[in-house]
Amino acid sequence: ITVPVQVNGKLRARVTVDAEMGEEELRSVALADPAVAKHIEGKTVRKVVVAGSGANRIVSVVVN
């Protein structure tokens, strides 16, 4: 499945993952994506939220 990844509410990437992937693994994949890493570099990650289930997932990263 393709999961959108937001950083501070703005779409920054889409990652393709296995539909059965757990939340912790999905967080790791999302944070490791080069487009996301560029936007969180040098900032403090306050929260990573994985919302939804199955094919309707989204990862939201909050930084400051």
Side-chain angles (χ1 to χ4, degrees), residues 36-54:
V36 175
K38 181 177 84 171
H39 287 92
I40 64 174
E41 184 177 334
K43 298 178 182 170
T44 304
V45 175
R46 294 290 178 192
K47 190 183 288 188
V48 179
V49 178
V50 177
S53 62

Side-chain angles (χ1 to χ4, degrees), residues 13-58:
R14 296 178 195 274
V15 294
T16 302
V17 296
D18 180 31
E20 301 300 318
M21 183 175 280
E23 282 190 25
E24 288 300 318
E25 290 175 288
L26 185 54
R27 284 187 182 114
S28 298
V29 170
L31 293 174
D33 186 271
V36 175
K38 181 177 84 171
H39 287 92
I40 64 174
E41 184 177 334
K43 298 178 182 170
T44 304
V45 175
R46 294 290 178 192
K47 190 183 288 188
V48 179
V49 178
V50 177
S53 62
N56 296 321
R57 288 180 160 184
I58 187 168

